[in-house]
Amino acid sequence: MDQDTFNKHAHEMVDWMSDYLSNIEQYPVRSQVKPGEIAGQLPVSAPLLGESMDQIFADFKKTIIPGITHWQHPNWFSFFPANSSNPSVLAEMLTATMGAQCMLWETSPAATELEIRVLDWLRQMIALPAGFHGVIQDTASSATFCAILAARERVMDNNCKEKGLFGQKPMRVYASAEAHSSIDKAVIMAGIGLDNLVRVPVDEDRAMKVDTLVRLIKEDRAKGYVPTCVIGVLGGTSVGAVDPLSDIGVVAQKEGLYYHIDAAWAGTALILPEYQYLMAGAENIDSFVFNPHKWMLTNFDCTAHFVKDSRSLTNALSIQPAYLKTREGGQVTDFRDWGVQLGRRFRALKLWFVIRSYGLAGLQHFVRQHIAWAIELAEAISKAPHFEVVTQPSFSLLSFRYAPKGVEGQALSDLNDKLIQTINDKGKTYLTRTVVDGEVVIRFSIGSQKTERHHVFDTWDHIKEVASSL
């Protein structure tokens, strides 16, 4: 493709992008295709000769778009948001154009130095103490994996990196029953094993029972295990659970455990002063992760991972082949030593664009309105016949269920499953289920960039209408 042809199609696609974002409500939120429907429209082998971009783009619109679930839709209330925004899209276009690979300071000094500075902006915005250092990972799953590797090396005096786990006493990782499944995957990849992931029971607020944590640690030591890491939850995926983070930190410090906090979604709420009390006791945190690509208008992927001692990461992950050594050496930060990946995208650019474009006040307004709407919706549900709030709003997440009189137990769970499936099949909105105390409930997460108050309550009316038809 020559430059003139590129210019023509670049302008055409930018126009399409703008129209897509302006008219996104014309699409069903969740793709309505059936399994195999998209693959059935694709050739079974690659073309021998190049095809025109006119044809490729036409096929994109005809074949691919029907199979897309529209995460930026204002009626998106499923999972958690995976937000984008116009400033973020513009930055991502520049990133793709430059094609920078930012593994070392030398391979793009601006990428490294911008990442250091913009992560420190973010640290201040969420009230982490001075002395924490930030790095952008691809996802919170990767950050949690890195945290467990760092914990493993610390407790084993940096021997696992060289000698592996053979002959070592089994290590133990502690997390509440509400902690994310990425922790399960991390202990598998770290060689610790699922049998050594201890799920600590939770109280009626779904927060970790700290007295039980203390007891489990002491019992494990007596059995010859090595307590290694404890993970606190700020805004659990199921219903937004929040652990007693400060109390857990005291235990971690006393018992010598590495302390990691997973705030993948709800960490964005810490830009609000009224939620920064949750960071009390932060001096006992070893690492902290949240995703600006969820609730902070920065498109996927962009995970902010903060560590109190950067050597905890580099001790676990740094390797020094000759082809990666540079003249600057210890004078600069080489982020390839801070994560699993060697190759790194220029993710800091879009975060910089977003923070500068919205400003802290604009981002705070964006988050506050979602929290306010969740509280208002919970009040409406509590007053509606045949519905009940199951878990009160945690930030902008709540759960509820359809509970007509006379329907109980498994029949009630089946009815709510059917309600969710029927609503999603209609395409007007997209909801997810979760299970609370063994019962299926509707999980409602507010956070999309384009969502306004009327979308929340139009969807609530739609839910009631569909429920009454079942």
Side-chain angles (χ1 to χ4, degrees):
M1 180 186 293
D2 61 33
Q3 202 61 34
D4 288 341
T5 306
F6 171 81
N7 291 344
K8 171 183 176 294
H9 290 295
H11 285 91
E12 178 186 0
M13 290 184 187
V14 167
D15 286 342
W16 182 89
M17 291 160 54
S18 180
D19 290 343
Y20 169 80
L21 293 171
S22 297
N23 301 308
I24 195 168
E25 289 189 66
Q26 72 181 1
Y27 298 99
V29 187
R30 193 191 70 179
S31 172
Q32 302 293 291
V33 303
K34 293 179 172 55
E37 188 173 330
I38 302 300
Q41 299 176 61
L42 302 172
V44 296
S45 57
L48 177 62
L49 302 177
E51 301 178 58
S52 73
M53 189 53 64
D54 286 322
Q55 184 58 54
I56 295 169
F57 193 41
D59 287 346
F60 164 79
K61 290 181 282 189
K62 174 177 175 288
T63 304
I64 302 302
I65 288 298
I68 294 295
T69 290
H70 301 281
W71 286 70
Q72 306 311 311
H73 200 292
N75 286 333
W76 177 276
F77 301 109
S78 185
F79 300 105
F80 283 127
N83 273 329
S84 186
S85 65
N86 290 345
S88 185
V89 169
L90 294 174
E92 199 78 299
M93 290 165 62
L94 297 176
T95 300
T97 300
M98 292 183 290
Q101 208 279 52
C102 310
M103 59 184 179
L104 304 168
W105 177 88
E106 185 177 274
T107 59
S108 280
T112 296
E113 296 187 16
L114 180 64
E115 186 165 337
I116 292 170
R117 182 53 51 88
V118 80
L119 264 291
D120 198 58
W121 287 2
L122 207 54
R123 176 196 64 76
Q124 297 172 55
M125 290 164 63
I126 65 171
L128 268 178
F132 276 81
H133 306 281
V135 58
I136 299 178
Q137 309 282 15
D138 54 358
T139 62
S141 297
S142 293
T144 296
F145 177 43
C146 290
I148 289 177
L149 292 177
R152 188 188 73 177
E153 292 307 305
R154 178 190 289 183
V155 77
M156 293 298 179
D157 295 323
N158 299 317
N159 284 325
C160 287
K161 179 178 172 183
E162 302 296 335
K163 298 179 181 179
L165 296 175
F166 181 75
Q168 301 281 7
K169 292 181 179 180
M171 288 173 268
R172 302 287 260 188
V173 174
Y174 305 86
S176 85
E178 294 289 325
H180 193 263
S181 60
S182 60
I183 298 164
D184 301 62
K185 188 173 288 188
V187 298
I188 293 170
M189 294 189 293
I192 293 172
L194 285 174
D195 286 349
N196 293 309
L197 173 58
V198 181
R199 290 288 187 174
V200 183
V202 297
D203 61 20
E204 61 276 6
D205 294 322
R206 314 209 167 267
M208 182 189 289
K209 292 182 176 179
V210 178
D211 55 345
T212 305
L213 170 67
V214 172
R215 176 176 58 80
L216 291 169
I217 291 171
K218 293 185 182 304
E219 290 176 356
D220 283 346
R221 287 198 198 281
K223 294 174 183 176
Y225 294 113
V226 181
T228 299
C229 177
V230 58
I231 297 171
V233 174
L234 175 58
T237 299
S238 180
V239 293
V242 177
D243 285 334
L245 301 177
S246 181
D247 293 345
I248 294 171
V250 171
V251 174
Q253 195 278 331
K254 181 180 178 181
E255 298 289 343
L257 274 65
Y258 188 100
Y259 184 27
H260 176 67
I261 291 180
D262 179 2
W265 157 64
T268 295
L270 297 176
I271 66 174
L272 304 179
E274 58 265 35
Y275 285 103
Q276 290 177 355
Y277 72 91
L278 292 168
M279 296 308 293
E283 65 275 6
N284 291 323
I285 298 170
D286 289 294
S287 58
F288 180 96
V289 62
F290 88 100
N291 293 332
H293 70 231
K294 278 194 168 71
W295 200 12
M296 213 176 95
L297 298 166
T298 306
N299 57 289
F300 186 84
D301 54 349
C302 183
T303 291
H305 180 193
F306 295 95
V307 291
K308 183 161 60 177
D309 180 6
S310 62
R311 290 172 299 178
S312 64
L313 285 184
T314 57
N315 286 344
L317 295 165
S318 177
I319 54 174
Q320 297 293 334
Y323 50 79
L324 291 178
K325 292 181 179 179
T326 62
R327 178 183 58 191
E328 291 76 21
Q331 304 173 53
V332 298
T333 297
D334 287 329
F335 279 124
R336 57 99 176 178
D337 292 330
W338 291 50
V340 174
Q341 298 171 318
L342 172 59
R344 305 183 76 251
R345 300 198 313 111
F346 189 4
R347 300 182 184 97
L349 189 69
K350 58 191 173 186
L351 188 55
W352 189 52
F353 270 42
V354 167
I355 295 173
R356 291 188 64 189
S357 180
Y358 284 90
L360 177 57
L363 294 170
Q364 289 172 333
H365 173 71
F366 175 74
V367 173
R368 277 195 182 105
Q369 63 185 1
H370 294 160
I371 294 171
W373 296 338
I375 294 169
E376 190 178 354
L377 176 62
E379 292 173 351
I381 294 169
S382 67
K383 296 174 182 176
H386 310 308
F387 282 87
E388 59 185 29
V389 175
V390 178
T391 57
Q392 291 292 331
S394 176
F395 309 102
S396 62
L397 171 66
L398 68 150
S399 72
F400 61 96
R401 64 182 176 182
Y402 181 42
K405 290 182 179 180
V407 185
E408 299 176 349
Q410 187 58 48
L412 185 59
S413 284
D414 291 345
L415 179 62
N416 278 275
D417 266 334
K418 184 177 181 181
L419 174 59
I420 294 166
Q421 292 163 7
T422 303
I423 288 169
N424 289 343
D425 286 345
K426 288 179 178 295
K428 178 179 173 61
T429 189
Y430 189 19
L431 306 171
T432 41
R433 73 194 291 274
T434 193
V435 175
V436 176
D437 297 331
E439 302 283 346
V440 173
V441 300
I442 300 168
R443 185 181 170 284
F444 200 98
S445 172
I446 303 172
S448 178
Q449 184 258 335
K450 290 185 173 293
T451 298
E452 298 177 3
R453 181 185 177 281
H454 75 85
H455 293 108
V456 174
F457 290 94
D458 287 349
T459 295
W460 168 229
D461 289 340
H462 181 60
I463 292 169
K464 291 184 290 183
E465 179 183 350
V466 174
S468 68
S469 72
L470 294 182

